[in-house]
Amino acid sequence: MDVFRATILTLFPEMFPGPLGQSLSGDGLARGLWSLETVNIRDHGLGRHRAVDDTPAGGGPGMVIRADVLAASIDAALPADDPRPRLLMSPRGERLTQAMAREWSAGPGVAIICGRFEGVDERVIAGRGLREISIGDYVLSGGEIAALVTLDACVRLIPGVMGKTESGSDESFENGLLEYPQYTRPRDWEGSSIPKTLLSGDHARIARWRREEAERLTRARRPDLLAPKG
Ligand code: SAH
């Protein structure tokens, strides 16, 4: 069976699988529902010190990952006909969405390139067909945590990874709405009870209540999700 394959190019391979080695994603990895391979970009570094970075052209602080070194690691790890998207973690990229995670999780997998320092030489992005992806409007110190976030969003959607509750279609973002409130036992807690509708056993009423709550929360917190796209 062809499983979802993740290949991560990083200067810190020991950060993987990290948290994805735990819980349901970790069980899925151990059960072969998805696979993970890391490639150390430094293996393609230059000289005795295996240098991977250099000072920014034009001056300024920090260091930039060299185009030749990064391209060599990409070429060694990913055959030209590898069908997987090549994602470069980057605060300048397209914002990661649930729709992207769903699309990628249904495909052959992903190759993820993790930047460090000030980022990577611009030429390698077009030169190797990288798609820049951001996990949000803040700057991390490296792409590894962004790669873990991206992978987690994909892996939990792989059939079998989540067990029974498989990728609920009611979840936040799946239907353009935030999820309705959830409750469990005890029925009364610190003077607050579970909404009566949820205890009614009337499935149609429960579905309606959940729909209304999801809409109410989305209107209040994320009206942008309801606005017509344009
Ligand atoms: N100088 C860059 C930031 C470099 S941060 C800039 O201003 O755009 C170092 C690395 O961390 C980046 O190359 C990228 O791989 C990763 N990174 C930082 N913030 C990120 C974000 N919000 N989403 C995805 N990757 C991010």
Side-chain angles (χ1 to χ4, degrees):
M1 194 181 79
D2 289 343
V3 300
F4 179 96
R5 287 173 52 230
T7 299
I8 313 291
L9 286 78
T10 170
L11 289 166
F12 298 95
E14 54 288 345
M15 290 190 184
F16 297 87
L20 299 185
Q22 304 285 317
S23 190
L24 296 177
S25 55
D27 294 343
L29 187 58
R31 284 160 52 218
L33 296 178
W34 64 288
S35 76
L36 175 71
E37 171 196 26
T38 55
V39 173
N40 194 337
I41 297 168
R42 197 169 294 284
D43 290 347
H44 300 272
L46 306 172
R48 202 156 53 85
H49 297 294
R50 299 236 160 262
V52 296
D53 56 341
D54 211 324
T55 54
M63 300 293 271
V64 175
I65 300 183
R66 293 175 57 116
D68 51 356
V69 171
L70 185 55
S73 70
I74 293 171
D75 294 344
L78 309 172
D81 62 350
D82 192 316
R84 296 175 295 168
R86 299 174 165 195
L87 312 178
L88 173 65
M89 298 295 103
S90 161
R92 300 186 326 199
E94 296 166 75
R95 183 76 65 84
L96 178 68
T97 63
Q98 185 67 13
M100 291 177 190
R102 197 160 270 296
E103 180 192 328
W104 298 330
S105 72
V110 288
I112 305 184
I113 292 120
C114 303
R116 275 274 155 181
F117 322 121
E118 293 308 316
V120 308
D121 186 296
E122 186 71 19
R123 293 169 291 181
V124 83
I125 300 173
R128 289 299 179 274
L130 308 185
R131 179 172 177 189
E132 292 180 84
I133 298 293
S134 167
I135 65 160
D137 290 346
Y138 36 78
V139 179
L140 305 169
S141 49
E144 287 76 13
I145 292 175
L148 289 167
V149 168
T150 303
L151 258 187
D152 189 12
C154 293
V155 161
R156 65 190 292 282
L157 297 174
I158 295 169
V161 170
M162 291 258 289
K164 259 204 299 216
T165 58
E166 234 171 278
S167 53
S169 57
D170 281 355
E171 273 187 331
S172 293
F173 311 113
E174 286 289 0
N175 50 13
L177 297 173
L178 302 179
E179 194 183 57
Y180 47 77
Q182 300 271 21
Y183 301 85
T184 184
R185 285 184 268 275
R187 177 190 283 239
D188 297 298
W189 178 76
E190 297 194 347
S192 161
S193 332
I194 296 177
K196 280 199 182 57
T197 304
L198 297 179
L199 307 171
S200 69
D202 181 339
H203 296 298
R205 247 181 88 203
I206 291 170
R208 200 177 330 115
W209 182 90
R210 286 180 165 164
R211 175 87 199 173
E212 285 165 5
E213 286 295 297
E215 287 170 357
R216 181 182 64 77
L217 281 169
T218 309
R219 258 192 315 276
R221 297 184 185 178
R222 292 294 306 277
D224 58 297
L225 294 178
L226 299 172
K229 305 262 186 305

